[in-house]
Amino acid sequence: MNKIYKDATQAIEDIHDGATILLGGFGLCGIPENCITALVSKGVNNLTCISNNAGVDDFGIGLMLQKKQVKKMISSYVGENAEFERQLLSGELEVELIPQGTLATRCMAAGYGIPAIYTPAGVGTEVAHGKEVRSFDGKEYLLEMAFNADFAIVKAWKGDTMGNLIYKETARNFNPLMAMAGKITIAEVEELVEAGELDPNQIHTPGIYVNRIFEGKNYEKRIEQLTVRDS
Amino acid sequence: MNKIYKDATQAIEDIHDGATILLGGFGLCGIPENCITALVSKGVNNLTCISNNAGVDDFGIGLMLQKKQVKKMISSYVGENAEFERQLLSGELEVELIPQGTLATRCMAAGYGIPAIYTPAGVGTEVAHGKEVRSFDGKEYLLEMAFNADFAIVKAWKGDTMGNLIYKETARNFNPLMAMAGKITIAEVEELVEAGELDPNQIHTPGIYVNRIFEGKNYEKRIEQLTVRDS
Amino acid sequence: MALDKYQIAQRIARELKDGYYVNLGIGIPTLVANYVPQGIDVILQSENGLLGMGPFPIKGEEDADLINAGKQTITTLPGSSFFDSAMSFGMIRAGKVDLTVLGAMEVSENGDIANWKIPGKMVKGMGGAMDLVASAKNIVVAMMHTNPKGESKLLPNCTLPLTGVRCVKKIVSDLAVIEVTLDGFKLLERAPGVSVEEIISKTAGKLIVEGEIEEMKF
Amino acid sequence: MALDKYQIAQRIARELKDGYYVNLGIGIPTLVANYVPQGIDVILQSENGLLGMGPFPIKGEEDADLINAGKQTITTLPGSSFFDSAMSFGMIRAGKVDLTVLGAMEVSENGDIANWKIPGKMVKGMGGAMDLVASAKNIVVAMMHTNPKGESKLLPNCTLPLTGVRCVKKIVSDLAVIEVTLDGFKLLERAPGVSVEEIISKTAGKLIVEGEIEEMKF
């Protein structure tokens, strides 16, 4: 059994034009920087990207948007990205906006073999258009489908050779959920260790969900909103 | 804010006759020993207990069965308990058997504000009687409802004064799921520490789900099937 | 005098109770954290996966892996916990968050809220707002009573795409504290020096005024 | 000679492939772990919340918090992970477990399985069996071909309450290896010294026999 890949280029080699890809991260926090760079270099096109945000103009998924590699973006929040807005308004980019909790739970559902979930988010709004509304205990819910994605690309703090992953702080966000949801899951980690070096009680994503793993390089970890206090 | 209770007796004081209680543990592993003892002492009756197993004759939920405190047992596996079998066959005890994954996921659904889930477990069997069957992508699923329980009683390895919990090894099992699912959640822990002593990256149950916490005493941690090798 | 944004936050902070788990939206709601009454512990939830949000980091100690839902660098407090986004919205949907404070572009007299989209002008997305308003038991809106043109933002019906329906419980605006009742907006308090008449004139939706309306004190 | 339970386990172990995640039921299936072919890594899943189950502990080193789904004390291996029961059945339902081996009281020619209840006699519950059979892509049943009275347990239709429908892919009994096809049972291999005629006579369900049936070698 070998899940270890040399680098991002090798790990994403078979991602094809038209693929549907889940990408972990919240804003620029916990995004798979190495894989995004490799996807840009590879020049794969017509992608459907599912990610909470769309990056900023010159970082994260924004890099793929600049190269017009993305056909459709499925996100919950897409502000702070001028090129994104331009493509959206010009009709070059298809966009589906869905509530953040729905996005997260549709990933989890896929990873848990649950075909669809009921959520109250979006009832009575345009998000509900065309969806089944059902009442349980007097409250209304929408039926939302589990994602069905070709690839999931996630970023973890530490990983081991069996594919077990541990995330750091709020860089966890969507990563463990998307890791469970891809038909093929690719994990890039800041530190790749031997099996047995991670405490089995503290694994966030068990290796069964991870098909490929590699140690990433040169993480920039850009901060989107630097807020500090003096003392 | 104070979630800290002195002991099991104080923590379960308001559990009333007829209450529905979720109890963590798998077999005798990770069961809330202190609270079970306190429930037996208190002599509360007509309980509906939801727990993966029903203990053994003289340990775990078996102790409550001996005192005939349980009106209805909802479990996935109830073997290895003679008194249980007697009460079941004599009609003294109502029993609802449900698939283990369904039990786990119905707890999680409650804790995640999801009113119902679809699962393939039990399709075409007597478990499906009276339930909605629905097809997604050509596969059939049953609609199963989230639990609605008055109390959840769980056992953790470590906990802090904010109610954060960490479980050890396979004693985790149903505990984090049930901790999320009770209207009131009571956690007994082997070691209660100050807030800040546990690594926030390693919390299994965030304190928001825990209403009461206390440090348990005299854990027996009985082993149901001792299996060893020589070298 | 109408309240400034700090006073709005300060007034909302009086809704806090000891032990509350609270989710604060971006903008004025974030400021509420600065006015937690003495002797009260509240725990801030950030929907990107944190309970126990602390203040901004000291300069130089910022950590790119530790941000809030507004993408600002933050810190943790003793007793914090991290979790994934599914659990985060799980606890929100399950009603474990006691108070949610968020901004609004419009609120209607039956409690509908619009705050995520202006057709043809602004499409940033709803983020977690739709989950929050659909789930929270207790939603307080922090907003200006009128838009820059002086038009009321408290309406009979929202004109913008909705974020959620019949969910807002209370509004703290620059002019008033208003409860959303089954019968419409109900005036509870007025800003210092702001007359009931002014509030009536700037509230387009049905406004119930009963008895003496007290002035807020700061 | 019919196979003994160790040989059944040994034959099933030949179904394992490198990198497989495997769930082994209680009884004969558990023994499969002892016959993993050399040069192959398989990872055992225990549905009570463990990936990477190791052998029984050395005497005196048993840990009450570390058991398998059969409630036996066990150990971990390098690369193990613990998780809760929802995630455990989540990975099962999502089809991440490559092979599931379990026992059966009856299997029908269309792949139905009964193994959890004998009305009026035995009510232990289904445990995780219903989830496993409803979800796994690849289910191998380890069973005796006949019951103690000599009656076939491979039937046209199950007579006992079902655990799952149309799910069993392969059966390894004491007499034969049988594939469950759309047309019924198909004989693949026979136990050493067991004749095709004996297998036919002890299989109540429709049995397809095509060409030469090879004898298993041990």
Side-chain angles (χ1 to χ4, degrees), chain B residues 209-222:
Chain B
Y209 284 114
V210 176
N211 304 91
R212 305 173 188 174
I213 189 167
F214 68 92
E215 188 172 286
K217 286 192 274 265
N218 307 322
Y219 284 102
E220 178 180 339
K221 292 203 192 184
R222 193 184 293 188

Side-chain angles (χ1 to χ4, degrees), chain C residues 50-128:
Chain C
L50 170 62
L51 269 170
M53 179 165 63
F56 296 150
I58 291 171
K59 207 173 166 179
E61 295 186 2
E62 62 272 9
D63 176 350
D65 291 324
L66 182 47
I67 64 170
N68 65 16
K71 284 135 194 167
Q72 299 171 313
T73 46
I74 49 158
T75 57
T76 57
L77 294 171
S80 286
S81 57
F82 296 107
F83 34 83
D84 65 43
S85 300
M87 180 178 264
S88 182
F89 284 95
M91 61 184 68
I92 287 169
R93 279 194 306 262
K96 303 292 176 186
V97 174
D98 299 292
L99 178 66
T100 296
V101 184
L102 71 177
M105 301 192 290
E106 296 176 349
V107 176
S108 76
E109 63 191 36
N110 70 348
D112 293 354
I113 178 171
N115 72 351
W116 75 283
K117 186 180 186 180
I118 305 174
K121 280 194 187 163
M122 187 277 279
V123 223
K124 290 190 186 301
M126 67 291 282

Side-chain angles (χ1 to χ4, degrees), chain B residues 155-159 166-168 188-191 221, chain D residues 65:
Chain B
K155 153 86 192 323
W157 182 38
K158 292 184 182 180
I166 294 177
Y167 309 91
K168 183 165 162 256
E188 56 175 88
V189 299
E190 290 182 53
E191 190 186 347
K221 292 203 192 184
Chain D
D65 291 325

Side-chain angles (χ1 to χ4, degrees), chain B residues 5-214:
Chain B
Y5 281 63
K6 197 177 58 161
D7 58 17
T9 306
Q10 194 194 32
I12 62 126
E13 201 167 28
D14 60 346
I15 296 189
H16 46 85
D17 282 3
T20 296
I21 311 177
L22 292 153
L23 292 121
F26 181 96
L28 304 180
C29 181
I31 60 174
E33 296 183 19
N34 278 237
C35 282
I36 290 171
T37 303
L39 286 167
V40 171
S41 299
K42 182 175 159 77
V44 62
N45 286 314
N46 278 314
L47 300 173
T48 296
C49 290
I50 307 170
S51 191
N52 189 57
N53 313 90
V56 295
D57 280 332
D58 62 343
F59 203 59
I61 294 175
L63 297 170
M64 293 163 71
L65 291 165
Q66 281 193 351
K67 292 284 194 75
K68 300 184 184 168
Q69 296 176 275
V70 182
K71 183 184 70 176
K72 181 174 182 180
M73 192 75 224
I74 301 176
S75 299
S76 88
Y77 186 83
V78 292
E80 287 99 49
N81 188 323
E83 174 63 15
F84 180 96
E85 207 162 359
R86 194 197 61 70
Q87 288 187 27
L88 170 60
L89 295 173
S90 72
E92 288 167 58
L93 181 67
E94 241 182 287
V95 176
E96 186 180 340
L97 293 171
I98 59 183
Q100 197 170 130
T102 301
L103 181 67
T105 314
R106 287 173 66 188
C107 293
M108 191 183 72
Y112 274 23
I114 297 172
I117 53 120
Y118 287 102
T119 174
V123 169
T125 76
E126 62 181 58
V127 165
H129 288 173
K131 287 176 188 156
E132 172 182 324
V133 181
R134 182 160 177 172
S135 191
F136 293 94
D137 260 339
K139 187 175 165 105
E140 290 187 324
Y141 298 82
L142 300 183
L143 184 71
E144 298 275 8
M145 297 297 154
F147 282 119
N148 183 13
D150 302 311
F151 295 91
I153 302 180
V154 303
K155 153 86 192 323
W157 182 38
K158 292 184 182 180
D160 72 16
T161 52
M162 305 277 281
N164 294 304
L165 304 178
I166 294 177
Y167 309 91
K168 183 165 162 256
E169 301 166 346
T170 56
R172 192 182 317 182
N173 57 64
F174 285 85
N175 282 302
L177 306 168
M178 291 180 167
M180 297 193 299
K183 284 202 199 74
I184 293 175
T185 292
I186 301 165
E188 56 175 88
V189 299
E190 290 182 53
E191 190 186 347
L192 181 61
V193 303
E194 286 300 316
E197 290 188 37
L198 303 177
D199 180 345
N201 287 294
Q202 292 163 16
I203 304 298
H204 296 132
T205 297
I208 194 171
Y209 284 114
V210 176
N211 304 91
R212 305 173 188 174
I213 189 167
F214 68 92

